[in-house]
Amino acid sequence: MILVTGATGTIGRYLVRALAETEAPFRALVRDARKGKELGCEFVVGDFDEPASMVSALRGVDRLLLNSGGALPVAGQQPMVRQQAGVIDAARAAGVSWVVKVSAWQPGSDSKLSVRAHWEIERYLKASGLRWASLQPTGYMQNFFTGEGGYTHSGALSGPYGAGRVAYIDAYDVATCAAVLLTGPLGVGETYALTGPEALTHEEIAAKLNIPFRDLTRQVAAEGLRAQGLPGWFVDGLLQLYAEMAAGSMSEVTTAVRDLTGRAPRTFDEFLANR
Ligand SMILES: NC(=O)c1ccc[n+]([C@@H]2O[C@H](COP(=O)([O-])OP(=O)(O)OC[C@H]3O[C@@H](n4cnc5c(N)ncnc54)[C@H](OP(=O)(O)O)[C@@H]3O)[C@@H](O)[C@H]2O)c1
């Protein structure tokens, strides 16, 4: 039995559909039963912050998709580290044998914000004694519609992006890779750097979205972020991520999606056509 966590999120919704097309038995973890019913598959209600609910959710489970997000840091601490470490402990106690983790692009000890959190969780998972694989995707193409891609209320794509290229990936492809790993023999102890098939500038992306592109200076971007009420250390972290992106830190295109699934990842145009 596979347990899909983060099942109602960007990746999880695609993964539930991909697993439904296989013979593999699976259930989705949801915090809200109404969202579970909408998924149209077997589901169990649980919350990473309620350990007893995770003990129940993991009963009879041997394979786990470890994925969550959304919680904002409190006093510099990213709750995802405590939450996912707790789920790893519960999984080991439940007899889970195989964990596929949704991580982030090249997490390291000097990473910022949620990327740093993923580095810490990966370390914890690798030391747990469980068999694991890690998916390290670049930014999701979906970000441009969920708000994380720097959309402004005026409908322009704006941020301190410069002319740096980013090999954004469709979350559909991340989910397809996760489905392959969860249902097959591949990937034990492997890390997969997942990208789309092309690296685009944000000006090129804005053109595809048919909206204006505004390249902001670091100072203007910082003022805008602070005006949203974000704390200084968080703004600094975001600015560092932007600066790395502008310098091309996510411009590499890998073959990992094709290697795992046997087909090329979706282009930005294919992503838009399939929305
Ligand atoms: N966005 C990007 O460009 C990007 C790039 C690389 C990596 N990532 C990573 O990808 C991961 C998933 O991102 P996403 O965009 O799929 O996230 P998402 O759409 O916001 O979904 C997050 C999922 O986690 C669930 N969740 C949140 N808190 C939970 C808790 N306490 N207990 C149980 N479930 C909980 C949510 O359930 P509810 O429906 O109940 O809220 C939801 O299903 C994140 O870890 C993120 O850091 C994102």
Side-chain angles (χ1 to χ4, degrees):
M1 171 64 77
I2 299 167
L3 182 68
V4 177
T5 65
T8 57
T10 317
I11 294 168
R13 287 175 181 276
Y14 286 120
L15 178 57
V16 162
R17 276 183 243 156
L19 289 175
E21 287 170 12
T22 72
E23 303 278 290
F26 74 95
R27 73 170 75 111
L29 180 89
V30 294
R31 290 192 288 182
D32 176 343
R34 273 174 309 178
K35 288 191 184 179
K37 285 193 188 113
E38 281 166 23
L39 288 176
C41 63
E42 181 181 336
F43 69 89
V44 58
V45 176
D47 189 321
F48 287 8
D49 280 325
E50 292 168 15
S53 73
M54 293 310 301
V55 171
S56 306
L58 284 160
R59 208 160 280 142
V61 168
D62 60 344
R63 287 170 280 169
L64 172 69
L65 189 277
L66 182 58
N67 177 34
S68 66
L72 282 173
V74 181
Q77 294 297 312
Q78 173 48 269
M80 186 164 57
V81 177
R82 171 181 46 74
Q83 291 170 339
Q84 293 200 8
V87 175
I88 291 166
D89 291 343
R92 198 181 41 221
V96 168
S97 60
W98 179 217
V99 180
V100 178
K101 160 141 179 73
V102 177
S103 179
W105 183 252
Q106 296 180 342
S109 58
D110 57 352
S111 303
K112 296 290 176 204
L113 308 178
S114 63
V115 185
R116 159 92 199 190
H118 285 301
W119 176 77
E120 290 183 42
I121 298 161
E122 281 198 6
R123 245 185 4 157
Y124 196 82
L125 178 60
K126 289 171 188 174
S128 70
L130 291 162
R131 292 187 312 147
W132 60 270
S134 178
L135 298 175
Q136 297 186 344
T138 53
Y140 304 156
M141 294 176 184
Q142 276 75 3
N143 291 353
F144 296 99
F145 293 90
T146 57
E148 290 188 36
Y151 257 143
T152 67
H153 294 302
S154 60
L157 175 52
S158 60
Y161 292 113
R165 293 183 176 274
V166 177
Y168 283 102
I169 186 166
D170 188 335
Y172 167 86
D173 289 314
V174 181
T176 310
C177 290
V180 168
L181 291 173
L182 287 166
T183 58
L186 295 176
V188 179
E190 298 284 348
T191 293
Y192 296 94
L194 302 180
T195 74
E198 59 195 345
L200 301 171
T201 66
H202 287 80
E203 189 164 14
E204 289 168 344
I205 291 171
K208 289 180 184 298
L209 295 169
N210 218 8
I211 55 172
F213 171 62
R214 294 196 193 113
D215 187 21
L216 305 182
T217 63
R218 188 182 164 91
Q219 193 187 335
V220 169
E223 283 162 10
L225 292 167
R226 279 195 215 100
Q228 292 174 33
L230 297 171
W233 62 268
F234 193 72
V235 171
D236 290 347
L238 282 174
L239 289 173
Q240 183 177 328
L241 289 178
Y242 276 121
E244 288 170 3
M245 224 190 268
S249 68
M250 282 200 253
S251 60
E252 181 190 347
V253 170
T254 71
T255 61
V257 172
R258 185 187 282 282
D259 296 344
L260 271 175
T261 68
R263 53 151 201 81
R266 285 178 175 172
T267 62
F268 208 92
D269 290 336
E270 287 167 338
F271 156 69
L272 290 177
N274 281 286
R275 279 195 80 241

